[in-house]
Amino acid sequence: MITVAAQNQRVLSGMRPTGRLHLGHYHGVLKNWLELQHEYECFFFVADWHALTTEYENKDVIAENVWEMVIDWLAVGINPGMARLFIQSRVPEHAELHLLLSMITPLGWLERVPSYKDQQEKLREKDLDTYGFLGYPLLQSADILIYKAGLVPVGEDQVAHIELTREVARRFNHLYGREADFVARAEAAVKKMGKKNAKIYMELRKQYQEQGDQDALAKARALLEAQQNITLGDRERLFGYLEGEGKMILPEPQALLTPTPKMPGLDGQKMSKSYGNTIGLREDPAVVEKKLRTMPTDPARVRRTDPGDPEKCPVWGFHQIYSSEETRAWVMEGCRSAGIGCLDCKRPVIEAVLAEQAPIRERAEEFAGNPDVVRNILNEGCEAARDVARETMEEVRAAVGLVYDL
Ligand code: TRP
Ligand code: SF4
């Protein structure tokens, strides 16, 4: 069950448009998003600036990758009626927050993020000795903090970036978490709850502040969580006001580790473009079938009569994702006794993969044929994202002292 507090959390995640999506993205990330969109207020975005940090020489493919990726999201069932879909660079407030955060972020924090050196080594052929690449995780922090996201679904490799985000938020709140007109703003926010709730809130606050009544504090928090008519900014103000005179401007997010099993590639390693072992999400069925028919199997099975061991076979990884228990038992038995051939064994996998892809491909074609629909979805998503981002930036500018009466 999801608690009220959890429902009020905002989920944010982004994906870099670095090429066509494959089944690894589907089983790893997108299926997770599909579930989250039912449970939370979700913002999913295309991290096109993040792509540029490493692909700055490939300017000709970015726009196309963005377009195809959004179609992929829609085709697998990401629902714009539930989740906001947008493009990072169309919400330039991310860049402004990134800049302001850069003022308070020690260089060492960025240099120590493990992905910094790792990626530089891995992508040796690219010159990643750039300012933008060092700032990659801080830009990610801005992406997250600008929406005050509570939960960030990411893979293991991104956890250090969420950790950095938390540290930066903490430092920011510590330096700036005191609005000059905090009390006035909080009092205005109290009024917005309506007479009855405002009265209850003020009484509970008094009980807590004068008598340290923890029960009153919990009740007041629950009351705030249940308010539908106040903005997130006001809600946080009221949380701060409940306990004192300061305010959390940028709440610390949490990583939500993607729980799904790793999708194996055709060679048994993790499916990844850099290993060349992928099956595209919308790849042509004949090509998909050929790739699966020719994928390697347990090397011990040289002849049809040689017994094999599924544990040593990449096909088994596919059965674990796609096959019923019954089919898996048939594989185990048939492989170890040489009762089935490898092509027999692959048949149910081929069928399952093709069956999974058919409706995705069909929906993708529909979206591709109706570009205005996709454009509208993105324009609306960008607008909705900007509304939130603008509001946060107003608070942030005020907090750091950039307010002008012009
Ligand atoms: N760095 C992430 C990745 O490579 C993409 C990303 C950019 C992201 N900004 C984000 C993910 C904000 C979550 C939240 O996968
Ligand atoms: Fe792999 Fe199946 Fe062949 Fe066994 S029978 S080696 S599990 S493909």
Short mmCIF file of all heavy atoms in Angstrom, two decimals, residues 65 92 140 306 354 401:
data_model
loop_
_atom_site.label_atom_id
_atom_site.label_comp_id
_atom_site.label_asym_id
_atom_site.label_seq_id
_atom_site.Cartn_x
_atom_site.Cartn_y
_atom_site.Cartn_z
N ASN A 65 17.33 11.43 -32.17
CA ASN A 65 17.30 10.51 -31.02
C ASN A 65 16.23 10.91 -30.01
O ASN A 65 15.56 10.05 -29.43
CB ASN A 65 18.66 10.48 -30.32
CG ASN A 65 19.69 9.69 -31.10
OD1 ASN A 65 19.35 8.91 -31.99
ND2 ASN A 65 20.96 9.89 -30.78
N PRO A 92 14.80 25.93 -19.58
CA PRO A 92 16.13 26.48 -19.33
C PRO A 92 16.40 26.80 -17.86
O PRO A 92 17.56 27.01 -17.48
CB PRO A 92 16.16 27.75 -20.19
CG PRO A 92 14.76 28.00 -20.61
CD PRO A 92 14.01 26.73 -20.51
N GLN A 140 22.63 17.18 -13.15
CA GLN A 140 21.62 16.20 -12.73
C GLN A 140 20.99 16.61 -11.40
O GLN A 140 19.77 16.48 -11.22
CB GLN A 140 22.27 14.81 -12.62
CG GLN A 140 21.28 13.71 -12.32
CD GLN A 140 21.85 12.32 -12.59
OE1 GLN A 140 22.94 12.16 -13.15
NE2 GLN A 140 21.12 11.29 -12.20
N ASP A 306 25.17 -33.63 -27.72
CA ASP A 306 25.91 -33.26 -26.50
C ASP A 306 24.96 -32.61 -25.49
O ASP A 306 24.23 -31.69 -25.85
CB ASP A 306 27.01 -32.24 -26.81
CG ASP A 306 28.08 -32.80 -27.75
OD1 ASP A 306 28.29 -34.03 -27.70
OD2 ASP A 306 28.66 -32.02 -28.53
N LEU A 354 8.94 -11.57 -29.93
CA LEU A 354 8.17 -10.98 -31.04
C LEU A 354 6.77 -10.55 -30.56
O LEU A 354 6.26 -9.49 -30.95
CB LEU A 354 8.05 -11.97 -32.21
CG LEU A 354 9.36 -12.26 -32.94
CD1 LEU A 354 9.15 -13.29 -34.04
CD2 LEU A 354 9.98 -10.98 -33.52
N GLY A 401 19.54 35.88 -2.76
CA GLY A 401 19.68 37.34 -2.72
C GLY A 401 19.60 38.02 -4.06
O GLY A 401 20.03 39.16 -4.21
#
